[in-house]
Amino acid sequence: MRRSGLVAAALALLTSFGVAAVSLFGFPRDMFVTQGISTFDSSTIVGEKLWNETPVQLLNTFMRGGTLLNPGMPGEGGFEFGTRLRLAYGDEKIGFGNQIADVRDGVTKDVLDAFRSNLRTTGYESVTPCPHDYDLDCEVIFTWNRDRTKEVGIQMVFIRLGEMEYGVVDDSLLGTE
Amino acid sequence: MIDPQLINLPVTVSLGLIQIGSFLFLRASKNMAFPVAVMAFVVVASVAVLVQLLFPKVDATAVHISVSALVVILAFLYARPHCIEAFLKAAGAGVVTAALFVVSQVVTRLGGYSSIGFGDGQTVIGISEGFQAGVYDRPDGIIGLKRGFGLPAYQSLGFEGEFLVGFLPVVFLAALVATYVLLSNLISNKTLLNVLYVSLLLILLSTESVTRHIYLMNTHALLWAVFAVLLAGLLKFVKSEQDKSAWVMVCVALAAGSMLRADNLLILAPTLVLLTWVARSQPKSHRIGFWVATFVPFAAWATILGFELPVLGPLGFPVFAVFGILVGLGVMWLMDKPWASDKVMQWLAKGVLVGTLVLAFALSPSAWTSIVNMFINLFLGEGLWGATPLFLVLLYVAVILFDRGPVSQQQKWIFALVAGTMGAMILAKFGDGLSQSGTLGGFARIGWGDSLNRMLVYLIPGASALLILRAERVWNRFDAKSKRQVVANQTKKRP
């Protein structure tokens, strides 16, 4: 009896390890905590948006009525999370056909730096596998014009900002730069 | 090396003191003393901040420590007959809890761990910063009720300009402990309990939707603990145990829930009615105490909102509290009628879920979309639940197939509470949609941030209790069969 008890306990634990492994490696994961925060000052956290969140969850929360341009196909220069957004947006609202637009082309370094800095001021930053090489981690800045949060039909554009930097921004921010 | 000055000593001492008080008060339910202490801490902190807002010269931290010390004195007087040994153990519990909080503060600061970005959380720390300065930017109307009070209030006990660093993981730990204690009250086989709990823990801690609550600036983890305590109390009352500890812990849990947010009144309502019924063997004053603990804390903080109820004006919320207590008396009167029975009460609770869903499909064109969204969140990963819901559903079906025996009373009550709470949560989510222009007219949307998706952690105690009770029965059947086999083999071997 003791032996069967031990076998049952081992089975229970092994099963939970299995379920845990499937959850960790077989299902979408984003992040569970903001790490390495430099201060716990409330104003600074709010002002500088020190708490992180992934673009997928931000899009799901704030941009439900929008369309997504150029996330690209995963594995072909697109974001790994791109296909996850299909569930919320449907294929018709995602422009999978186009590659992520590289905004570095045709602008001076100063203009690009100013643009990046502007996006960082209002944006949420997160780390995700790079669209151009999934073995590397890239930074994604997600931001939008807050007046447009509830706007139906807002277009979010996926852009490349640097070697290891990408952005997901609403088209009004892109148009004014 | 961390600067010792970064340990919030006054608040740590307060928590330790409240833990001592909780341990002494809950003589017959000592295992619940830690989760209940965390809840009592939130209630006391909320009261302290409320006092500071009403009397700006008063310091909230000083009030908090004073009230915590008072709790210890009262608990000491209460536990006097068993004094020395009980007090030493309680002091030990206080030291352990305070030490846990210190460790949490140090780890949190060293790792720079904090909440994931979420709009509500940022609003909360904004409000708590105002509380520190004695300023309440009285939010108007339903927004004020939705934001609540307890969370920004206790978070405002942090250092100047900061929220209360390291307290949220303590709350999360309290939820895990409360769930363990609840389960330990249900099954007698401790080995089985520990194996199943460790398995459950592995699964929960690998589920991102759960682990996000370790640091999330929100009330969910505390409500998870609240539901574990309420369910443990409810099951004690079902057994007609004359245990004052159960009454104390249930009242503290209800008060904590009520202090946090207005919609908790709705979410707690089915549990409140079930508690009032199952505690029939308790004095009438104890039963009405549940309603007082639920409505008075809410009225206290809602009164300082810049929002008045129609007709009643500034006295609106106190009158609302009195009305709530009168409803409680009315419910008790109805429960004395001959038609009232366990079965009726259980069906009423289940009816909340069925009724809400019927209402949803009748009134909301997005009801079906909401169901689909919930499915996507729970089973396709977008709610960040991983494989957990699918596994738990399959496991529950499997244990039912293994053991098709009659359902126990305990299981019926747990199921009623889970169903009633789920129904109330959906109803609350509808209210949420009505209060915000631009939100969908449904009750669930895709993504972890969906309110209902986040609130599902409230059901962890109930769901795991249902599962563990079934698992125990399957185990007992298997155990009995093995024993019979052994006896049969021994009989065969005899010459």
Side-chain angles (χ1 to χ4, degrees):
Chain A
M1 188 55 235
R2 198 173 157 195
R3 211 179 83 188
S4 57
L6 279 173
V7 170
L11 269 177
L13 290 172
L14 272 176
T15 310
S16 14
F17 271 117
V19 176
V22 175
S23 287
L24 291 173
F25 303 110
F27 275 84
R29 286 172 65 213
D30 290 320
M31 56 189 292
F32 79 94
V33 66
T34 301
Q35 293 183 48
I37 205 165
S38 53
T39 175
F40 291 93
D41 182 78
S42 301
S43 302
T44 314
I45 286 172
V46 175
E48 296 180 14
K49 287 171 300 307
L50 296 183
W51 285 346
N52 295 151
E53 179 53 298
T54 56
V56 183
Q57 297 300 341
L58 289 166
L59 280 162
N60 280 335
T61 300
F62 295 109
M63 301 293 153
R64 297 196 298 279
T67 56
L68 312 173
L69 296 181
N70 314 334
M73 284 303 285
E76 297 169 19
F79 277 108
E80 192 187 35
F81 62 75
T83 43
R84 280 177 63 188
L85 296 165
R86 276 180 165 150
L87 290 168
Y89 288 85
D91 281 352
E92 70 280 5
K93 286 187 178 174
I94 306 182
F96 279 117
N98 299 318
Q99 290 294 306
I100 293 168
D102 196 332
V103 296
R104 294 174 299 177
D105 300 338
V107 290
T108 63
K109 188 179 177 300
D110 289 347
V111 170
L112 190 62
D113 286 346
F115 181 54
R116 267 200 296 243
S117 158
N118 188 25
L119 295 187
R120 279 187 198 287
T121 310
T122 57
Y124 288 90
E125 292 157 35
S126 62
V127 174
T128 195
C130 297
H132 61 272
D133 184 349
Y134 280 5
D135 291 335
L136 302 173
D137 280 333
C138 278
E139 189 183 8
V140 180
I141 306 168
F142 178 97
T143 191
W144 71 100
N145 178 349
R146 300 303 195 268
D147 295 338
R148 302 184 73 194
T149 300
K150 299 289 179 189
E151 188 178 314
V152 176
I154 186 171
Q155 287 193 323
M156 299 300 294
V157 189
F158 290 64
I159 54 174
R160 186 164 187 181
L161 294 161
E163 198 47 42
M164 306 295 274
E165 282 172 301
Y166 287 80
V168 183
V169 302
D170 90 77
D171 57 355
S172 73
L173 296 177
L174 210 54
T176 54
E177 289 298 322
Chain B
M1 193 61 200
I2 198 142
D3 184 352
Q5 284 186 332
L6 291 178
I7 306 295
N8 194 326
L9 202 61
V11 177
T12 308
V13 169
S14 287
L15 181 63
L17 287 173
I18 289 176
Q19 175 66 82
I20 294 173
S22 170
F23 195 90
L24 289 171
F25 270 122
L26 301 183
R27 250 192 340 234
S29 309
K30 285 191 181 75
N31 295 342
M32 273 298 185
F34 169 58
V36 172
V38 170
M39 288 166 208
F41 174 91
V42 170
V43 174
V44 174
S46 305
V47 171
V49 171
L50 201 58
V51 170
Q52 182 183 263
L53 290 172
L54 293 171
F55 308 99
K57 284 185 180 166
V58 174
D59 177 57
T61 309
V63 175
H64 195 256
I65 293 186
S66 309
V67 176
S68 306
L70 190 66
V71 169
V72 175
I73 294 167
L74 289 174
F76 185 69
L77 293 173
Y78 173 78
R80 212 162 40 178
H82 318 270
C83 182
I84 301 290
E85 196 194 338
F87 194 77
L88 284 175
K89 282 184 182 171
V95 170
V96 170
T97 300
L100 268 174
F101 184 32
V102 168
V103 170
S104 177
Q105 289 176 74
V106 172
V107 171
T108 302
R109 284 190 187 275
L110 285 178
Y113 298 121
S114 200
S115 175
I116 55 136
F118 203 69
D120 282 356
Q122 292 176 345
T123 309
V124 164
I125 58 171
I127 297 173
S128 78
E129 204 181 2
F131 282 167
Q132 283 186 340
V135 179
Y136 188 30
D137 196 12
R138 298 167 196 271
D140 193 22
I142 292 172
I143 293 296
L145 292 173
K146 189 174 139 54
R147 292 278 173 263
F149 186 79
L151 177 63
Y154 82 72
Q155 288 294 342
S156 74
L157 296 182
F159 290 131
E160 194 179 342
E162 289 187 350
F163 54 89
L164 189 55
V165 175
F167 190 70
L168 286 166
V170 176
V171 175
F172 186 82
L173 187 64
L176 292 178
V177 170
T179 307
Y180 177 79
V181 178
L182 165 72
L183 300 180
S184 71
N185 290 347
L186 293 175
I187 60 174
S188 48
N189 184 335
K190 293 299 164 203
T191 311
L192 184 66
L193 166 75
N194 291 330
V195 168
L196 291 179
Y197 187 74
V198 170
S199 307
L200 181 73
L201 207 55
L202 272 170
I203 292 171
L204 289 180
L205 294 181
S206 63
T207 308
E208 199 167 276
S209 185
V210 174
T211 49
R212 280 189 160 213
H213 293 287
I214 298 174
Y215 278 101
L216 184 74
M217 186 57 71
N218 217 308
T219 58
H220 304 307
L222 191 58
L223 256 289
W224 166 2
V226 162
F227 273 103
V229 169
L230 292 179
L231 191 48
L234 185 132
L235 294 174
K236 275 180 180 279
F237 293 131
V238 167
K239 288 188 218 159
S240 299
E241 286 181 20
Q242 293 299 324
D243 173 10
K244 215 177 222 175
S245 306
W247 181 77
V248 172
M249 71 185 196
V250 163
C251 285
V252 172
L254 288 170
S258 163
M259 269 295 184
L260 292 174
R261 282 167 65 115
D263 55 6
N264 286 347
L265 294 189
L266 179 58
I267 294 168
L268 289 168
T271 309
L272 184 59
V273 172
L274 291 180
L275 280 166
T276 310
W277 169 255
V278 295
R280 292 186 316 286
S281 60
Q282 308 289 316
K284 216 166 192 172
S285 60
H286 283 196
R287 291 166 75 200
I288 201 64
F290 298 150
W291 293 75
V292 174
T294 306
F295 283 93
V296 171
F298 162 70
W301 67 261
T303 303
I304 65 161
L305 289 172
F307 171 58
E308 293 176 359
L309 288 178
V311 185
L312 298 167
L315 282 176
F317 287 105
V319 172
F320 175 77
V322 173
F323 178 73
I325 295 163
L326 289 175
V327 168
L329 286 168
V331 166
M332 283 163 64
W333 176 75
L334 283 172
M335 284 173 176
D336 287 337
K337 300 289 170 203
W339 55 262
S341 66
D342 284 357
K343 213 170 192 174
V344 169
M345 291 302 151
Q346 287 159 1
W347 275 109
L348 269 178
K350 289 181 239 178
V352 175
L353 177 60
V354 176
T356 305
L357 288 175
V358 169
L359 205 69
F361 277 96
L363 299 178
S364 167
S366 316
W368 179 247
T369 311
S370 297
I371 298 279
V372 172
N373 291 346
M374 265 186 82
F375 179 83
I376 290 171
N377 283 343
L378 280 169
F379 298 103
L380 302 187
E382 285 312 311
L384 302 180
W385 287 94
T388 302
L390 181 64
F391 171 72
L392 293 181
V393 168
L394 290 177
L395 183 65
Y396 195 63
V397 171
V399 288
I400 287 177
L401 290 176
F402 269 113
D403 172 49
R404 296 189 208 181
V407 178
S408 71
Q409 270 302 315
Q410 274 186 328
Q411 284 170 301
K412 285 179 185 171
W413 284 115
I414 299 167
F415 190 80
L417 187 138
V418 169
T421 305
M422 183 71 192
M425 275 159 48
I426 294 174
L427 212 54
K429 180 64 187 141
F430 266 119
D432 212 23
L434 292 173
S435 70
Q436 290 179 312
S437 59
T439 52
L440 298 174
F443 54 84
R445 61 178 170 79
I446 294 174
W448 172 83
D450 170 55
S451 301
L452 193 59
N453 186 67
R454 285 178 286 128
M455 286 196 284
L456 285 175
V457 293
Y458 304 172
L459 302 183
I460 289 174
S464 39
L466 283 173
L467 202 57
I468 207 164
L469 278 170
R470 283 279 181 186
E472 188 194 28
R473 279 167 50 151
V474 171
W475 172 253
N476 287 345
R477 256 182 77 164
F478 170 71
D479 194 20
K481 204 174 165 185
S482 318
K483 278 177 184 158
R484 277 201 305 273
Q485 191 73 46
V486 169
V487 172
N489 289 343
Q490 283 171 347
T491 317
K492 269 187 203 166
K493 278 179 193 167
R494 274 184 206 139

